[in-house]
Amino acid sequence: MSVMRPLRSVGLVGYGAYIPRYRLPASEISRIWGGDEEGTVAFKSVPGLDEDTVTIAIEAARNAVARARIDPVLLRAVWIGSESHPYAVKPSSTVVAEALGVGNACLAADLQFACKAGTEALQAGIALVGSGMAGYAMAIGADTAQGRPGDALEYTAAAGGAAYIVGPAEAGCATLEGSYSYVSDTPDFWRRPGQNYPRHGGRFTGEPGYFAHVLSSVRSLMEGLGRSASDYRYAVFHQPNPRFPERAARQLGFKSEQYSPGLLANEIGNAYAGSSLLGMSAVLDIAQPGDRILLVSFGSGAGSDAFSWLVTDTLPKRQSLAPTTRAYIERKTIIDYATYLRLRGQLVMH
Amino acid sequence: MSLASSWRTRKFRLGFVGEICPQCHAKLFPPRDICPHCGGPAKEPLAFSGHGTVYSYTTMSVAPRGFEGQTPYVAALVKTEEGPLVTAQLTDVASDEVFIGMPVEMVTRHINEEGDDGIINYHFKFRPELAAAAKH
């Protein structure tokens, strides 16, 4: 199948990140549960008592609007990908749109595809703007991910999000060269209705899940565009831990200086639908005109979206219009396991 | 907060939207029907910048119903850039870090919920200004 390209050229006209300030060290989880923290992340971000996917999305979206320098009324879609929407039924996206001051003539929906839901929203935004149906569309990936206490996922399940405004290529900080999506029915991770925690399919997580989908989407995209790893200044991967993206990047021919700037997992954990999009925002904070960026998501269930972006002369003028991803990473308060339980609402108050 | 109140106040709670009086141009927060400065009708919405400074504050150790799980938290009077004094919670800050004159900015956060099956209320709060962080 060929690379996907919209009829009308599109670009990212604004982007914004948000990461909560609290950090739980892996050593705190192994202290309580006696597990092995080797090979996992050093810290994961934890939402405050008053934070959820909606509040994370609002701040990331405000930063994106600040960089885009557009009236939010011009947004014709607000789409949020997450596996932790606060309501089972009632959209997060309408709350976020209202907070931004978006008008009523707007599409709004919540998407669910594990960690790929944010880039799925981005694909939809590209299609909406690229078809000429809308001038601007906002795509957000945000999560307050949960892991069962003591489970391997508890070390990494984190919180954060990033927002992107898709608009005409001529106004973009980065223009889209093409994208490729690759999905299959793979039982690597799931959560049934009414369940507090997800389950994972053990051996399906690595080879049949992450690697099969990520490698397939990237290889198809690069082949379709006639590109090789050396054409890219940066490569950003979904990062459930630091090991998976490093291994995938090396298999695809990328070097450390290409994938390290967008690899945040060791400092903040896995922000699920926000994970690869936060890596992308960290790279956009430092990229220069002419840089080419590969963005690759992965979502369990399973699928991967790969995008090729080319940075324009507009980006340097937008980078300082909102807090950088690094600024949020460095704004941190280390917490212990008891505080973590309180912030995650695990203490019964009545 | 009742459903009706939650719905009616959504723009001011979520977006920190006040008003500007069309007669005397006074900036008003919260929005109201009559301008307290000139007595004329006040209907023109104005999105406030969200920037201000702490005018005064107190630490809440005994909280009203619905806020018990949040103690201790800081409630403050914030002098907005536009002028009006606004009462709000401070967030992302320990009570011993707050001082009068502290630069703060508006964020939209979860404030309470109507039980496990009720509506979730979001509201403006203020946190220490992140502006310096943007220069990183």
Side-chain angles (χ1 to χ4, degrees), chain A residues 71-260:
Chain A
D71 186 336
V73 171
L74 296 173
L75 292 169
R76 297 302 300 271
V78 176
W79 286 320
I80 306 176
S82 179
E83 64 124 60
S84 46
H85 291 289
Y87 290 93
V89 179
K90 187 180 182 300
S92 303
S93 46
T94 52
V95 186
V96 174
E98 196 82 66
L100 292 180
V102 175
N104 301 112
C106 183
L107 287 156
D110 298 353
L111 292 87
Q112 182 268 115
F113 192 145
C115 300
K116 191 174 96 75
T119 55
E120 194 78 45
L122 185 55
Q123 287 282 37
I126 289 166
L128 194 76
V129 176
S131 69
M133 285 178 68
Y136 297 93
M138 175 170 278
I140 304 170
D143 256 309
T144 56
Q146 286 132 57
R148 188 184 302 279
D151 186 88
L153 286 177
E154 193 186 23
Y155 285 92
T156 55
Y164 291 83
I165 298 175
V166 181
E170 53 273 22
C173 307
T175 54
L176 179 74
E177 295 188 312
S179 66
Y180 198 96
S181 294
Y182 183 95
V183 302
S184 74
D185 178 12
T186 303
D188 57 333
F189 171 96
W190 62 90
R191 179 162 62 86
R192 297 279 300 276
Q195 298 297 306
N196 289 324
Y197 302 111
R199 286 183 55 187
H200 47 92
R203 71 181 189 84
F204 284 96
T205 299
E207 296 302 336
Y210 186 90
F211 293 102
H213 294 79
V214 163
L215 298 180
S216 296
S217 69
V218 175
R219 282 176 178 147
S220 299
L221 177 69
M222 293 210 294
E223 190 182 313
L225 292 174
R227 305 250 186 262
S228 63
S230 61
D231 292 323
Y232 290 87
R233 176 72 181 84
Y234 300 105
V236 179
F237 292 84
H238 174 57
Q239 36 206 279
N241 53 50
R243 290 171 292 122
F244 278 24
E246 279 183 352
R247 192 177 131 197
R250 286 201 200 106
Q251 278 183 256
L252 291 162
F254 292 99
K255 298 189 170 102
S256 174
E257 58 266 31
Q258 291 168 293
Y259 64 77
S260 294

Side-chain angles (χ1 to χ4, degrees), chain B residues 86-132:
Chain B
V86 173
T87 307
Q89 275 190 26
L90 299 190
T91 188
D92 287 0
V93 66
S95 54
D96 60 1
E97 295 169 347
V98 182
F99 58 91
I100 288 171
M102 175 186 243
V104 290
E105 62 189 351
M106 188 276 289
V107 290
T108 306
R109 294 288 175 88
H110 175 292
I111 192 159
N112 61 13
E113 49 196 64
E114 308 298 323
D116 288 342
D117 61 353
I119 205 86
I120 300 169
N121 292 312
Y122 297 93
H123 205 281
F124 61 81
K125 296 185 181 183
F126 288 85
R127 67 144 181 243
E129 188 85 58
L130 265 183

